[in-house]
Amino acid sequence: MKLCSPAAERNKLPIFEVLKPILPANARVLEVASGSGQHAAFLCSQRPDVSWQPTDIDQDAFDSIRAFQLDCPTTMKEPVKWSVTDVRPPSLEGPYDVVVNINMIHIAPWAACLSLLRQASQALVPEGKLFLYGPFVLKDRETAPSNLEFDRSLRERNPLWGLRDLDEVIAEAKARGLIFQSRVDMPANNISVIFEKVMQPT
């Protein structure tokens, strides 16, 4: 059964507008933690040349992704049940032109963010892009009260969760061969962040 996230409905077009210029023709895309599958289905409807590989570990999300995948079988591949902290299965070996991760790293332990950066670096082609979306703590801007409250509620649910400092994410990405390219302000105090793979990870 298809799930419907109101947030995904609101942000799918703004996210597509940021992704559009970094998706080459016939791009191969790996989405880590696809959630309901709404982003994958919408982006595939806008770019029928793209091959989009969704993944998730949650069973309800996985079933929803599969339901959306039936609407665009030529562009959206069969989902793979996978956690970014696990070994990447052969079906996800890549290489990929773009790795996409939306609204995950603040609702997962920091170790999951580090694993995402490592997995993305290994999966991407040279000059491939990693796209992150979500709320971040920024050194050059006061954190919005709504984001502070969100961070507090996340840490109450799980002390390993919480908004991530973008400078720390950028530093860890660089150590894994992913260089920060740009950030884009998004609705509801979110940020899109783009990295480029510039060297083979060690």
Side-chain angles (χ1 to χ4, degrees):
M1 183 178 73
K2 291 179 181 176
L3 302 176
C4 183
S5 162
E9 282 301 303
R10 289 193 300 270
N11 64 34
K12 65 184 184 182
L13 180 57
I15 285 175
F16 173 68
E17 292 299 327
V18 178
L19 275 174
K20 185 164 54 175
I22 68 170
L23 290 171
N26 304 308
R28 295 189 65 202
V29 179
L30 171 64
E31 184 181 15
V32 178
S34 301
S36 65
Q38 288 163 261
H39 290 112
F42 177 74
L43 291 162
C44 285
S45 74
Q46 302 301 303
R47 284 289 301 269
D49 61 307
V50 168
S51 173
W52 192 285
Q53 178 62 69
T55 69
D56 210 282
I57 195 63
D58 178 79
Q59 185 61 52
D60 288 341
F62 192 81
D63 292 342
S64 179
I65 297 166
R66 180 166 281 156
F68 275 107
Q69 188 265 342
L70 295 175
D71 293 338
C72 42
T74 60
T75 53
M76 187 173 166
K77 298 172 71 67
E78 181 77 11
V80 173
K81 190 170 285 189
W82 176 61
S83 168
V84 74
T85 57
D86 295 336
V87 174
R88 195 165 65 253
S91 58
L92 300 179
E93 292 264 326
Y96 293 95
D97 299 292
V98 180
V99 173
V100 171
N101 183 247
I102 298 169
N103 278 331
M104 184 200 84
I105 65 173
H106 56 281
I107 53 171
W110 177 239
C113 177
L114 299 181
S115 184
L116 168 66
L117 298 174
R118 176 178 57 82
Q119 296 270 16
S121 185
Q122 293 172 350
L124 284 167
V125 299
E127 300 183 354
K129 305 295 193 296
L130 168 63
F131 171 89
L132 302 182
Y133 172 92
F136 289 88
V137 174
L138 306 174
K139 289 290 196 300
D140 61 352
R141 183 184 305 172
E142 185 175 355
T143 304
S146 59
N147 278 357
L148 289 174
E149 176 59 26
F150 184 40
D151 181 64
R152 184 192 63 77
S153 67
L154 288 172
R155 294 179 189 276
E156 284 182 352
R157 290 164 59 191
N158 187 324
L160 297 179
W161 295 1
L163 272 61
R164 305 304 175 190
D165 185 311
L166 181 56
D167 285 351
E168 292 183 12
V169 176
I170 289 172
E172 294 292 348
K174 183 177 181 180
R176 290 157 180 81
L178 299 166
I179 302 304
F180 170 73
Q181 276 203 320
S182 62
R183 82 183 199 207
V184 180
D185 289 341
M186 305 293 283
N189 297 309
N190 290 302
I191 301 287
S192 287
V193 189
I194 299 169
F195 300 87
E196 181 176 284
K197 178 178 174 178
V198 296
M199 66 181 184
Q200 192 66 28
T202 57

